[in-house]
Amino acid sequence: MILDAGIDLHTHSTFSDGSLAPTDLVERAVLAGIGMLALTDHDTIAGVEEARLAAGRLGIRLVPGVEISATWRHQSIHVLGLWIDPASQRLQSVLDGQAERRRERMRRICAKLSRTGLPGDALLAAVESCPGLPTRSHLAAALVAGGHVKREEDAFRKFLGAGKPGHVAPEWPPLAEVVTAIRNAGGIASMAHPLRYRLSSGARGRLLSEFAEAGGSAIEVITGVNGAQHAHACAALARKFGLRASIGSDFHHPQLAWNPLGRLAKLPGGIEPVWRGPEP
Ligand code: AMP
Ligand code: MN
Ligand code: MN
Ligand code: MN
């Protein structure tokens, strides 16, 4: 039985908006005492093979994963696909669509930023020169590098967040479609950071019941460094909607203290963990 402390099912690499290459991420995971690691880049599985090779060399288990953006009632919702088959053609075609949506969205955001007087073309070029699939994190980093804001959070607060001049409404596929794509690839769909969406508790309940109805099987009960109260609230939701539990740091950068790789609290009792693998 693997200890909870040795499991991290939500991490990013340079294939999306993380700053470590998959090999470096896996090496760091080993140093953090992790025995089971999922690489879950935003809308891409391009880093999974490198991570799998590194994990094989270092003797830890690599869970092939992805964090797919979906739309539910005009909100972006992140769904983790865990234990997906990286060779699934149907999943790959969904991810190809996501990549095109991300590139197009970035062009639209930068065009909007140009209208506010920011150098949209230069910002777009900076994002496009990054190795990973473009995310708003890359753009936030470019805004910091260009001296337009001090920190990445400020970029979201001033320009990129909802209602701000660089905001573009999400056009991701519907939640149910994303869950189906994950299941068709043999994976478990787990809703990432369920308390991070701006929803009333009634709306959150409808989201989770539609997610379960569509074939979603788990929620992240422990995310990042959120405390026991957060875990208990998520555990209550898992029980209420008949969902299992996953845990993950949402690690992006070694220098950020809020999402240290693998330093996670214990899962509350009475809920079923996902890490026994996909349902039969
Ligand atoms: P995207 O999927 O392109 O919309 O980008 C979302 C990513 O931006 C998330 O996965 C986070 O890594 C990052 N992000 C979102 N909101 C913030 C914020 N307020 N401050 C810093 N990073 C953020
Ligand atoms: Mn991210
Ligand atoms: Mn997320
Ligand atoms: Mn994430």
Side-chain angles (χ1 to χ4, degrees), residues 24-49:
D24 299 329
L25 176 74
V26 170
E27 282 172 4
R28 204 174 177 92
V30 172
L31 292 176
I34 293 165
M36 181 187 270
L37 175 78
L39 177 62
T40 54
D41 276 313
H42 295 287
D43 297 304
T44 177
I45 56 169
V48 166
E49 179 57 13

Side-chain angles (χ1 to χ4, degrees), residues 200-210 212-213 219 221 232-244 269-272:
S200 66
S201 69
R204 195 177 316 279
R206 285 188 287 281
L207 166 66
L208 289 171
S209 94
E210 284 182 34
E213 180 80 9
I219 58 174
V221 166
H232 285 289
C234 291
L237 290 172
R239 288 186 206 103
K240 181 167 178 187
F241 294 97
L243 294 161
R244 295 200 281 161
I271 39 174
E272 183 73 17

